[in-house]
Amino acid sequence: MSHDISTLRKFVSPEIVFGAGSRKSVANFASNFGARHVFLVSDPGVAAAGWVNEIVTLLTDAGIRSTVFTGVSPNPKVDEVMTGAELYKSSECDVIVAIGGGSPMDCAKGIGIVATHGRNILEFEGVDTITNPSPPLILIPTTAGTSADVSQFAIISDPNRRFKFSIISKAVVPDVSLIDPEVTETMDAYLTACTGVDALVHAIEAFVSTGSGPLTDTHALEAIRLINRNLEPLVENIADPYLREQIMLASMQAGLAFSNAILGAVHAMSHSLGGFLDLPHGLCNALLLEHVVAYNFQSAEDRFRRVAEAMDIDTRGMSKPEIKKRLMQRIVELKRKVGLEARLAQLGVSVSDIPHLSGFALQDPCILTNPRKSSLRDVQVVYEEAL
């Protein structure tokens, strides 16, 4: 009896500790990995918020030395990864801990790869290019949205090509993810909105992806439901610990879904924008979302109906065009209510950039699992609509 290999699904995830105060077990996990000298990756904003000092203290109290590296920009660059890896080697570190949003977490993943291969991070672009195991990696997310802490993605910017490239491999799934809603309390309303909509995009793209399946669908739908109900109230009241926990949970579930089902055209186009104009990733996703939903709808009508239902739209008796219209209205309304109304033109994108952006978007691995096949012209049209 022959089995079609394409129907097989695997599900990869780190060891996850979820809940208020989970960051405090960082020294315990580091010790379990035999850490004597931790390399702590973060960025200036997270350091200013006081989280870096707290982690250093927790490690020091457990008798573990640490070297802190905060030289990470909002879209982590090739040379930042290389500088971090040099410092990791020269300090003779043995375990990597990152605390921050997607950028420090992705940078930490890159540092781990370079530290064990001794080659430029550019050489690891693509799928399954990593041969040597990275040092033990413990990630502590400070934003509820990017899900780098549970994913098999690392996204690095190459300023020379003005291109964001993806490294996709089981090897970049961290060993431990300490998901602590308390750490997100220092996010402002704007960052809360950007990263929350980022998580919504992860969940929607994973649910309609050609790589989706029963192991990812439940996570994706629950993430959509949680964000649809809790993001607006949280942005209005960012101090609410219950709402923060709901959005953190949604972000984690969205991450488990997209890490395994992969993503789609929103991310391919967003990575292209972020590489070309160095814009915030969550914002790029937000601006493109309803335009890509409109483009993809015909290729996954039943899936989008279930997305609409997860966004509390009662689709009984609705025609397909009506479902599409209501879903797009709800997405636009959610974005407006959390303050993400900008359009690409306001961010400095011009019509003349679109051919360039579209070419890069088609090179992104996320385009491969988009439910509707995309030509260069298709991608250009979607960019034009988002201008």
Side-chain angles (χ1 to χ4, degrees):
M1 188 176 161
S2 72
H3 288 284
D4 179 8
I5 197 84
S6 70
T7 62
L8 295 177
R9 291 284 181 259
K10 62 179 184 175
F11 190 88
V12 185
S13 99
E15 181 174 354
I16 293 170
V17 186
F18 183 92
S22 60
R23 69 186 182 284
K24 293 182 174 143
S25 54
V26 62
N28 189 12
F29 281 102
S31 312
N32 292 348
F33 292 127
R36 286 185 296 281
H37 194 151
V38 160
F39 191 69
L40 180 58
V41 181
S42 190
D43 67 27
V46 176
W51 299 116
V52 171
N53 280 349
E54 185 185 354
I55 300 302
V56 169
T57 303
L58 289 164
L59 293 169
T60 307
D61 290 351
I64 301 169
R65 294 175 61 201
S66 53
T67 292
V68 175
F69 176 68
T70 55
V72 183
S73 344
N75 287 309
K77 315 280 185 284
V78 168
D79 59 332
E80 294 166 355
V81 172
M82 300 311 293
T83 303
E86 282 291 308
L87 185 59
Y88 176 94
K89 299 284 276 195
S90 63
S91 309
E92 297 184 345
C93 296
D94 43 23
V95 168
I96 299 174
V97 174
I99 181 160
S103 302
M105 292 193 282
D106 280 349
C107 193
K109 290 177 176 188
I111 288 167
I113 295 166
V114 173
T116 51
H117 291 81
R119 290 160 35 215
N120 195 292
I121 193 64
L122 287 164
E123 296 181 36
F124 299 94
E125 182 176 332
V127 181
D128 291 336
T129 56
I130 296 165
T131 49
N132 306 350
S134 291
L137 182 60
I138 302 168
L139 298 186
I140 306 168
T142 58
T143 62
T146 68
S147 310
D149 54 295
V150 295
S151 80
Q152 22 186 356
F153 280 73
I155 313 290
I156 308 294
S157 276
D158 176 7
N160 290 334
R161 287 183 291 170
R162 288 180 74 174
F163 182 55
K164 271 177 110 162
F165 64 94
S166 303
I167 298 169
I168 306 175
S169 167
K170 273 207 302 287
V172 300
V173 177
D175 298 280
V176 177
S177 180
L178 303 177
I179 303 179
D180 185 343
E182 284 179 1
V183 187
T184 65
E185 71 194 19
T186 45
M187 289 167 67
D188 62 18
Y190 177 70
L191 190 58
T192 301
C194 270
T195 53
V197 174
D198 189 17
L200 177 66
V201 174
H202 291 153
I204 293 174
E205 290 220 281
F207 187 68
V208 302
S209 154
T210 56
S212 65
L215 293 173
T216 57
D217 285 350
T218 46
H219 287 296
L221 287 173
E222 181 60 10
I224 294 167
R225 201 170 290 116
L226 287 168
I227 294 164
N228 184 61
R229 290 185 180 172
N230 297 293
L231 187 60
E232 288 165 42
L234 175 60
V235 170
E236 279 170 33
N237 182 11
I238 51 174
D240 186 313
Y242 171 78
L243 293 172
R244 254 205 320 273
E245 190 166 302
Q246 297 308 296
I247 294 297
M248 199 70 170
L249 188 60
S251 169
M252 179 196 80
Q253 292 195 276
L256 291 171
F258 91 74
S259 176
N260 291 285
I262 316 303
L263 292 155
V266 180
H267 269 80
M269 294 173 66
S270 170
H271 289 152
S272 173
L273 271 175
F276 189 62
L277 293 165
D278 206 14
L279 297 167
H281 170 71
L283 183 60
C284 294
N285 276 348
L287 301 193
L288 294 164
L289 177 56
E290 70 269 22
H291 304 288
V292 176
V293 168
Y295 173 77
N296 280 336
F297 192 89
Q298 65 181 73
S299 300
E301 286 172 338
D302 193 52
R303 292 247 139 194
F304 279 113
R305 179 180 54 76
R306 292 170 67 191
V307 169
E309 285 162 4
M311 295 188 80
D312 289 324
I313 296 165
D314 183 352
T315 61
R316 285 173 299 185
M318 273 191 197
S319 67
K320 283 168 181 170
E322 204 176 341
I323 293 171
K324 175 179 172 180
K325 191 175 136 208
R326 285 293 303 280
L327 175 58
M328 286 178 65
Q329 279 173 345
R330 175 61 192 132
I331 290 169
V332 171
E333 176 192 41
L334 175 65
K335 289 189 345 185
R336 195 188 70 242
K337 285 193 173 160
V338 299
L340 298 181
E341 281 194 277
R343 296 183 67 87
L344 293 182
Q346 291 162 269
L347 301 179
V349 182
S350 69
V351 177
S352 58
D353 295 329
I354 288 178
H356 186 96
L357 290 167
S358 304
F360 275 149
L362 286 178
Q363 291 174 43
D364 191 282
C366 290
I367 205 86
L368 300 173
T369 45
N370 194 60
R372 184 174 166 193
K373 285 285 154 274
S374 312
S375 71
L376 188 64
R377 184 72 199 119
D378 292 332
V379 175
Q380 287 176 344
V381 168
V382 178
Y383 276 127
E384 283 160 15
E385 283 167 0
L387 269 182

